[in-house]
């Protein structure tokens, strides 16, 4: 494989052109890109079909890969939403004059070059490009081979629009799909300012362990819903089924159900209809297994220890019967990826303790974890959901694609 260093050098150089764009120019650029995406929907879908044809129907990532007319229109609408968001670049975060007469300003400035490594989700290509351009950053995209043709088609349209605005194409650079490229990106400290892995836990851990470039973790979600003994069980049923089946291949879908022993015998059979409709495979602890066996739930297995803490990304989940809030908190602390966690309860004290004590980027009371999303939270698109605590946590969106710069203005002051 040839080195990608020349392309990274071009991207670093192009970042200056992006930085010079005015807020109005960036708005116009993204609105134009939205129009171009819609105008070329047929061509995009044709390239996406090439990727779909190469992926087995049994692969749970196929839904992530799929583009259709609605999803393309949604992508265009997301571009228009990001175009209208306040430009974080240049925002004055602090302003003061110190004793020596120096005027200080702390400004929000672009990170520079943002590298994103992701798998089988062509929508990420447009999400990342739009967020980076709006915040004044260039970006390096390393998509998975599963979405190769889709990503090529989308980046070609991005380059077309960049050229219309006299911005170098390298401001949004798509790397070859070869896995060997990843290691080169992780050591490109002269050209990339931050690396963001978005995908499986194995990808994220690999980047964490091997990157010399500062890293922000996004993507892996092991999400639980705790059905407490005072819960409205009909609401709990609807929330649990929704969190599992509405889109199981995404990171905010449910992986583990915790049920208070006091309501387990009543609640678990209530899941049967919703789970059966979607062929949800259940990995149940002994008590949950006995209850679901008694109502002849067909897709049932005894859980192994390794099933708790699994990110299934499929129509599968683990169920455990527990004794109260303390055990729920302990289980979540042990097995959560600190993405999104929910409690279903009518006891305000239980809710308050859960929301206060659970260590996760997003915590919910009486609602589905499926809402953890930058667009839903009113942040426009997102690069991913950060599960760490430094710099960004939760939806990693426009507001977090900047860093800080101190600007100091004086009139001859010196310090001895």
């Amino acid at each position: 494989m040839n080195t990608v260093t020349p392309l990274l050098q071009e991207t670093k150089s192009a970042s200056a052109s992006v930085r010079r764009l005015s807020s109005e120019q960036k708005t116009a650029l993204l609105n134009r890109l939205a129009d171009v995406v819609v105008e070329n929907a047929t061509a995009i879908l044709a390239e996406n079909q090439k990727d779909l044809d190469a992926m087995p129907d049994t692969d749970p990532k196929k839904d992530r890969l799929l583009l259709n007319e609605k999803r393309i229109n949604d992508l265009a609408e997301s571009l228009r939403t990001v175009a209208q968001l306040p430009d974080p670049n240049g925002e004055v975060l602090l302003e003061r004059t110190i004793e020596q007469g120096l005027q200080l300003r702390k400004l929000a400035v672009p990170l520079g070059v943002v590298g994103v490594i992701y798998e089988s989700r062509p929508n990420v290509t447009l999400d990342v490009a739009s967020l980076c351009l709006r915040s004044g950053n260039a970006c390096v995209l390393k998509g998975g081979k599963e979405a190769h043709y889709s990503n090529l088609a989308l980046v070609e349209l991005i380059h077309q629009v960049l050229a219309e605005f006299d911005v170098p194409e390298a401001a949004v650079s798509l790397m070859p799909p070869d896995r060997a490229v990843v290691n080169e990106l992780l050591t490109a400290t002269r050209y990339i300012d931050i690396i963001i892995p978005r995908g499986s836990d194995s990808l994220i851990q690999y980047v964490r362990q091997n990157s010399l470039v500062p890293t922000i973790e996004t993507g892996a979600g092991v999400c639980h819903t705790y059905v407490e003994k005072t819960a409205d069980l009909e609401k709990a049923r609807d929330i649990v089924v929704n969190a599992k089946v509405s889109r199981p291949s995404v990171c905010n879908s449910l992986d583990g159900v915790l049920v208070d022993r006091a309501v387990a015998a009543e609640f678990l059979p209530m899941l049967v209809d919703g789970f059966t409709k979607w062929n949800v495979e259940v990995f149940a602890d002994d008590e949950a297994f006995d209850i679901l066996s008694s109502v002849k739930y067909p897709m049932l297995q005894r859980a192994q220890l390794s099933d708790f803490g699994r990110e299934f990304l499929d129509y599968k989940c683990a169920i455990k019967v527990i004794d109260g809030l303390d055990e729920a908190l302990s289980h979540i602390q042990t097995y959560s990826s600190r993405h999104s966690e929910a409690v279903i309860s009518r006891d305000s004290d239980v809710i308050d303790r859960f929301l206060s004590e659970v260590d996760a980027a997003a915590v919910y009371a009486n609602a589905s974890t499926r809402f953890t999303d930058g667009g839903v939270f009113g942040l426009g698109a997102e690069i991913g959901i950060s599960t760490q605590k430094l710099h960004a946590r939760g939806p990693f969106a426009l507001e977090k694609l900047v860093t800080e710069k101190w600007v100091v203005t004086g009139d001859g002051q010196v310090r001895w």
Side-chain angles (χ1 to χ4, degrees):
M1 186 202 75
N2 293 327
T3 178
V4 296
T5 295
L7 184 53
L8 298 180
Q9 291 172 328
E10 292 177 17
T11 304
K12 186 70 172 179
S13 178
S15 65
S17 297
V18 181
R19 233 177 4 254
R20 287 193 292 267
L21 291 172
S22 67
S23 180
E24 293 74 19
Q25 286 173 315
K26 289 184 280 189
T27 296
L29 189 158
L30 293 179
N31 282 328
R32 172 62 179 150
L33 180 56
D35 292 340
V36 168
V37 166
V38 173
E39 292 165 6
N40 289 273
T42 301
I44 295 170
L45 292 177
E47 296 304 299
N48 181 241
Q49 190 61 50
K50 294 179 184 178
D51 292 324
L52 291 170
D53 289 343
M55 181 177 283
D57 290 339
T58 54
D59 193 323
K61 294 193 292 294
K62 194 154 191 172
D63 178 63
R64 293 185 174 196
L65 177 61
L66 172 68
L67 292 177
N68 53 36
E69 186 173 347
K70 180 183 184 302
R71 289 187 179 182
I72 287 178
N73 287 332
D74 288 346
L75 285 172
E77 189 57 34
S78 177
L79 288 168
R80 296 187 181 101
T81 298
V82 173
Q84 300 305 318
L85 291 174
D87 188 347
N89 186 24
E91 180 183 354
V92 179
L93 305 173
L94 181 148
E95 193 167 15
R96 66 165 61 120
T97 300
I98 61 175
E99 180 182 353
Q100 295 82 358
L102 295 171
Q103 295 179 336
L104 304 184
R105 287 184 301 152
K106 184 167 69 172
L107 304 181
V109 297
L111 291 166
V113 176
V114 177
V116 181
I117 303 171
Y118 54 107
E119 301 168 331
S120 65
R121 292 190 69 166
N123 64 292
V124 175
T125 300
L126 285 179
D127 288 346
V128 171
S130 65
L131 291 168
C132 286
L133 292 170
R134 183 63 179 145
S135 55
N137 294 288
C139 60
V140 170
L141 306 173
K142 172 59 181 74
K145 63 180 181 180
E146 303 92 344
H148 177 59
Y149 292 106
S150 305
N151 290 336
L152 280 176
L154 293 171
V155 171
E156 183 177 336
L157 297 179
I158 294 169
H159 287 171
Q160 174 186 321
V161 174
L162 289 175
E164 292 179 18
F165 284 79
D166 295 321
V167 177
E169 292 182 358
V172 177
S173 292
L174 180 65
M175 297 291 106
D178 311 1
R179 287 192 175 184
V181 169
V182 171
N183 289 327
E184 191 167 0
L185 298 182
L186 299 184
T187 57
T189 54
R190 293 183 59 189
Y191 308 114
I192 299 178
D193 295 286
I194 191 167
I195 285 280
I196 305 167
R198 177 171 176 170
S200 65
D201 184 61
S202 60
L203 168 66
I204 293 167
Q205 297 307 321
Y206 182 84
V207 172
R208 281 186 64 194
Q209 294 164 17
N210 294 277
S211 182
L212 300 181
V213 179
T215 301
I216 290 181
E217 304 169 32
T218 73
V222 178
C223 305
H224 299 84
T225 297
Y226 166 43
V227 181
E228 193 262 341
K229 64 184 179 183
T230 68
D232 180 322
L233 297 186
E234 291 188 358
K235 288 182 180 178
R237 173 201 61 204
D238 294 344
I239 288 168
V240 167
V241 172
N242 170 264
K244 180 65 271 179
V245 309
S246 60
R247 199 171 176 196
S249 65
V250 295
C251 58
N252 57 25
S253 64
L254 176 146
D255 296 292
V257 184
L258 304 175
V259 185
D260 263 348
R261 180 165 286 109
V263 295
E266 180 181 1
F267 176 70
L268 290 177
M270 295 172 67
L271 297 176
V272 168
D273 288 345
F275 275 13
T276 301
K277 179 180 177 181
W278 295 92
N279 295 318
V280 176
E281 186 175 5
V282 172
F283 299 83
D285 74 344
D286 289 342
E287 193 165 344
F289 185 93
D290 290 343
I291 293 170
L292 290 169
S293 292
S294 72
V295 294
K296 297 181 169 52
Y297 186 73
M299 290 149 289
L300 184 62
Q301 296 192 37
R302 290 192 186 273
Q304 306 298 313
L305 191 61
S306 59
D307 293 321
F308 300 108
R310 277 177 68 184
E311 185 184 26
F312 289 100
L313 300 174
D314 202 350
Y315 291 101
K316 302 177 181 181
C317 72
I319 296 180
K320 183 176 178 62
V321 177
I322 60 171
D323 273 322
L325 177 60
D326 286 334
E327 188 175 351
L329 294 173
S330 176
H331 183 97
I332 290 171
Q333 181 178 1
T334 301
Y335 294 106
S336 170
S337 67
R338 294 167 175 77
H339 188 295
S340 300
E341 304 290 350
V343 60
I344 316 301
S345 175
R346 287 183 284 200
D347 186 325
S348 59
D349 291 336
V350 167
I351 290 172
D352 289 346
R353 264 196 75 193
F354 186 95
L355 299 182
S356 173
E357 296 183 25
V358 168
D359 181 13
V363 289
Y364 290 81
N366 298 313
S368 168
T369 58
R370 287 281 287 110
F371 289 100
T372 306
D373 177 270
V376 174
F377 282 11
L379 303 173
E382 66 182 34
I383 289 182
I385 306 297
S386 170
T387 54
Q388 64 184 44
K389 297 183 180 180
L390 295 180
H391 180 64
R393 198 177 196 200
F396 192 150
L398 186 69
E399 60 179 350
K400 295 300 183 181
L401 283 166
V402 290
T403 184
E404 300 171 354
K405 175 189 284 187
W406 289 92
V407 177
V408 185
T409 303
D411 186 27
Q413 291 93 332
V414 295
R415 182 184 181 189
W416 292 97

